[in-house]
Amino acid sequence: MIIAIDGPAASGKGTLAKKLAAHYRLRHLDTGLLYRAVAKSLLDAGHAPADEARAVAAAGAIDPAGFDENALKRYEVGEAASVVSAMPGVRAALFNFQQEFAAVPPGAVLDGRDIGTVICPNAEVKIFVTASPEIRAGRRASELRGRGESVDEADVLTDILRRDERDRSRSAAPLKQAPDAHLLDTTSLNIEAAFQAAVRLVESR
Ligand code: DC
């Protein structure tokens, strides 16, 4: 079984994907980490995230087995990831890894922006997770504070709105709900309630 979870930044899709994977004993891939790893390798080498040739080369050389999730989840890495993820060459370089990950039996839970539309269009279950921008900004700010970063929630909201716009308007695999995806709005749901709602969607399939 393949479960595809898509949605905008800080919608709760990562937490949900992790919990669903544990519940159904499936492997989990947070595909945002792939784009973040490309971005981080450029930042670490002192290159601009907009340097397409270097970004495509970095995408071909990433090693998911050695990811440092804490470092990849940093705020500035997320910003740079939003830039490199708009590049068709970067997306093409990361495509096979994601499809191959999903194809290994007994399946997997993948979360990202284009899982239900591009990476796993035949996924058995597709969920598009959303929440109001204000709620998402609050969640992202607490997550970053939990990682030791000091952030201003109003700035986080501005960045989330800008990133949503960039992810939705890019021509390469834009963020959008697949026609056969279930919409799950977590604005007024806590983690457990969102998880229970997602399980009901999976079971209904
Ligand atoms: O979900 P996240 O914040 O870790 O994602 C970081 C960036 O990567 C975000 O701007 C969108 C992009 N991304 C993408 O384009 N496609 C995916 N499948 C996952 C993430």
Side-chain angles (χ1 to χ4, degrees), residues 2 13 15 29 38 55 59 103 112 119 144 155 168 178 180 192 202 204:
I2 297 175
K13 63 187 185 310
T15 307
L29 180 63
V38 173
I119 305 294
L144 291 166
D155 291 344
R168 286 202 173 99
D180 52 348
E192 189 52 32
V202 175
S204 74

Side-chain angles (χ1 to χ4, degrees), residues 6-10 13 30-33 35-36 73 77-79 81-83 85-86 91 98 111-115 119 140 163 166-167 170 173:
D6 290 302
K13 63 187 185 310
D30 171 354
T31 63
L33 291 179
Y35 296 91
R36 286 171 177 267
K73 289 282 184 180
V77 178
E79 282 298 295
S82 176
V83 175
S85 65
R91 305 199 74 85
Q98 297 173 80
D111 71 271
R113 303 293 190 286
D114 63 340
I115 307 304
I119 305 294
R140 180 50 56 90
R163 201 182 302 179
R166 209 185 280 153
D167 293 345
R170 70 184 177 214

Side-chain angles (χ1 to χ4, degrees), residues 27 35 47 54 57 69 88 97 111 124 128 134 147 177:
R27 291 160 310 121
Y35 296 91
H47 301 307
R54 285 201 167 94
E69 191 167 331
F97 174 79
D111 71 271
E124 280 80 5
F128 192 85
E134 291 75 16
R147 292 177 191 278
Q177 184 179 350

Side-chain angles (χ1 to χ4, degrees), residues 5 11 18 30 43 46 54 56 87 93 106 163 176 195 205:
I5 315 264
S11 55
K18 236 177 239 162
D30 171 354
L43 295 176
R54 285 201 167 94
V56 173
M87 299 169 181
R163 201 182 302 179
K176 64 167 187 257
F195 170 64
R205 297 284 297 159

